[in-house]
Amino acid sequence: MTALARQMIEGGSWVVEASLCQTSNWLQSGGTGCDPEAATGLGDVGARQSTVQSAWGTVRYLRPPEQMEQTPAHWERPPPVLGSDELAWQ
């Protein structure tokens, strides 16, 4: 947001580094409780992780930061072995 505001005032392009976990924390807090200037790393991601068994062993991943009632985000299946799916247009 700071980069967009600066672009509107000063013009030009701005490089932004963002943390998916910090963004998730910010969304979960309703847009409060996170200081964007102080966000320096992942923080505690344990509460936002899930695991699934796959051909690669146990896979840990971050769940989507938000859920919608009518269209819940989810993984249909774990990651497959490379080359195990039949080639087809979806």
Side-chain angles (χ1 to χ4, degrees):
M1 297 304 290
T2 301
L4 287 173
R6 288 180 71 179
Q7 183 181 39
M8 288 177 60
I9 295 168
E10 301 173 30
S13 298
W14 299 87
V15 175
V16 175
E17 291 184 20
S19 163
L20 179 59
C21 184
Q22 292 292 345
T23 301
S24 173
N25 287 334
W26 181 77
L27 289 170
Q28 291 291 328
S29 73
T32 63
C34 288
D35 178 4
E37 300 299 324
T40 59
L42 293 176
D44 181 14
V45 298
R48 302 199 191 288
Q49 286 184 329
S50 289
T51 60
V52 65
Q53 294 301 316
S54 75
W56 304 95
T58 302
V59 175
R60 285 188 315 174
Y61 63 94
L62 289 173
R63 291 186 304 275
E66 292 295 321
Q67 289 288 338
M68 294 184 265
E69 291 178 20
Q70 299 298 319
T71 56
H74 66 282
W75 295 106
E76 302 246 343
R77 61 187 182 133
V81 173
L82 294 177
S84 65
D85 287 325
E86 184 177 322
L87 295 177
W89 289 102
Q90 297 292 320

